[in-house]
Amino acid sequence: MESDRLEDIYIDDLSVKVCGEYTYYPEAVATEFVDTSDYPSLKEEYKDYFRIGTATSPNLLDKEPYAKIIKAQYNSMTLGNSFKPDSILDHNKTVRDVEKYMYSPAVKFDAVKTELDFARDNGLTVRGHTLVWHSQTPEWLFYKNYDIGGELADRETMLARMENYIKNVMEWTEENYPGLVRAWDVVNEAADDGGGMRKSLWYQTVGEDYIEQAFMFARKYAPEGTKLFYNDYNSYQTRKQNDIITFLRPVVEAGNIDGMGMQSHINVNINITLYMAALQKYYDELGLEINVTELDVCRGKGDNWQQEQGDYYKKFMSEILKLRKNGVPITSVTLWGISDTDSWISSDYPLIFNDDLSRKPAFDGMIEAVKNQE
Ligand code: 9MR
């Protein structure tokens, strides 16, 4: 704005539209950390059963105490945000040449390198999270000519964009980090909390077979041996589970899915027996292997919450081990973060280390569960 006259200028009816969504990259607030060298190691204790993972963030790996505890405790990691479509899709490049990128949006991979280098250099495998999701996926992807002022793109265009996105991400990853990503969350959170399928922009543009299509493309481009997962929250709840089983059945029949990811953002009041029955059912009905992909357990209200939460973690892991012993193929358990301070729900203190990385009863509970199996 310019003016030759020295008068006040008023702007009214200003509105700011956020394109995409805000992503919170976790930070460590503590400045002093305890020495974690003498802790027993989760990955060692569980090595005969399944992998133990954590969610990471590039700025946490830069902190030495964090890097150290991750190397000591975990043998799998999930990039907490960096592999999501809003981090990979290159808006500027795409809209600079819409014709060229019409069916294959431009992608960039700068954001994933710190974490993938760390995993490769320290012998952790990676769960790729995530390819097809309603959230952290920019809205422009779904529009004709990538113009959010216009109409939604048609089914054929969106199928082509979906196929090329999956192809480009999988091929880049395998070329640059061969064998590192052992599993992909191909479709994330497709079930609606109110029942049925979520009416996401993928659903609206492609139609209700978008899950089948996504898994078909994923199978086509996934390197041999890479496991393909569906991943969701509250997927132990009966109604949601039934919906998920219904829409995954054709994917199973087509042979395009290997596993069910149970996010498991839970709390100390969730009934462990019901939760385990759900795992058993995914296996019985669909024959899928199971990963616990985003475990955190929000604390209870009482003064004794640390111990109560520790007991819960212990019971939870004991039952997981039991289920595995009884034949349910559970192949990894991943915690969604390291310490309470870097959790996405830090005010609920849901993880196994305190802010200074001192161990909580939750950590000891996980160790006891595997040491004292019935
Ligand atoms: O942990 C992630 C957090 O840092 C981001 O701000 C948030 C944005 O949606 O996503 C968090 O991870 C989510 C995961 O990708 C899917 N399941 C729910 C997780 C917690 O919101």
Side-chain angles (χ1 to χ4, degrees), residues 157-171:
T157 303
M158 287 315 296
L159 279 173
R161 288 179 188 172
M162 179 193 268
E163 173 166 8
N164 285 312
Y165 181 75
I166 290 174
K167 173 178 191 278
N168 291 335
V169 173
M170 284 189 163
E171 287 182 353

Side-chain angles (χ1 to χ4, degrees), residues 21-26 80-81 84 129 133 135-136 188-189 231 233 263 265 294 336 344:
E21 283 170 56
Y22 171 71
T23 301
Y24 165 71
Y25 274 83
N81 287 294
K84 295 173 177 172
H129 175 78
W133 190 21
S135 178
Q136 289 183 274
N188 197 36
E189 302 176 358
N231 190 49
Y233 61 89
Q263 289 191 7
H265 299 294
E294 305 182 12
W336 204 243
W344 69 295

Side-chain angles (χ1 to χ4, degrees), residues 89-186:
L89 286 164
D90 190 335
H91 181 250
N92 289 340
K93 201 166 169 187
T94 305
V95 296
R96 246 185 276 129
D97 193 344
V98 171
E99 284 304 308
K100 175 172 175 197
Y101 294 111
M102 183 65 79
Y103 300 107
S104 182
V107 284
K108 57 179 168 32
F109 293 96
D110 321 318
V112 297
K113 289 180 186 159
T114 307
E115 286 156 287
L116 294 185
D117 284 352
F118 181 91
R120 181 198 55 207
D121 297 346
N122 295 295
L124 288 87
T125 58
V126 172
R127 295 195 78 266
H129 175 78
T130 177
L131 296 165
V132 174
W133 190 21
H134 68 279
S135 178
Q136 289 183 274
T137 303
E139 220 181 318
W140 57 262
L141 177 68
F142 299 93
Y143 282 81
K144 205 169 169 179
N145 299 324
Y146 299 114
D147 173 11
I148 56 171
E151 294 165 29
L152 286 175
D154 59 40
R155 170 178 162 91
E156 293 317 312
T157 303
M158 287 315 296
L159 279 173
R161 288 179 188 172
M162 179 193 268
E163 173 166 8
N164 285 312
Y165 181 75
I166 290 174
K167 173 178 191 278
N168 291 335
V169 173
M170 284 189 163
E171 287 182 353
W172 181 90
T173 307
E174 189 56 15
E175 202 176 306
N176 291 279
Y177 298 89
L180 189 64
V181 176
R182 299 283 183 88
W184 274 103
D185 290 332
V186 176

Side-chain angles (χ1 to χ4, degrees), residues 236 266-275 296-302 308-309 312:
Y236 58 87
I266 54 179
N267 65 68
V268 292
N269 299 314
I270 299 298
N271 184 311
I272 292 182
T273 311
L274 285 182
Y275 178 99
D296 44 24
V297 182
C298 296
R299 67 170 176 176
K301 288 198 167 59
E308 180 191 29
Q309 185 187 48
Y312 192 94

Side-chain angles (χ1 to χ4, degrees), residues 155 197 200-211 213:
R155 170 178 162 91
M197 279 170 71
S200 67
L201 285 169
W202 280 118
Y203 179 98
Q204 290 174 44
T205 52
V206 173
E208 55 179 43
D209 65 339
Y210 87 89
I211 301 175
Q213 298 284 346

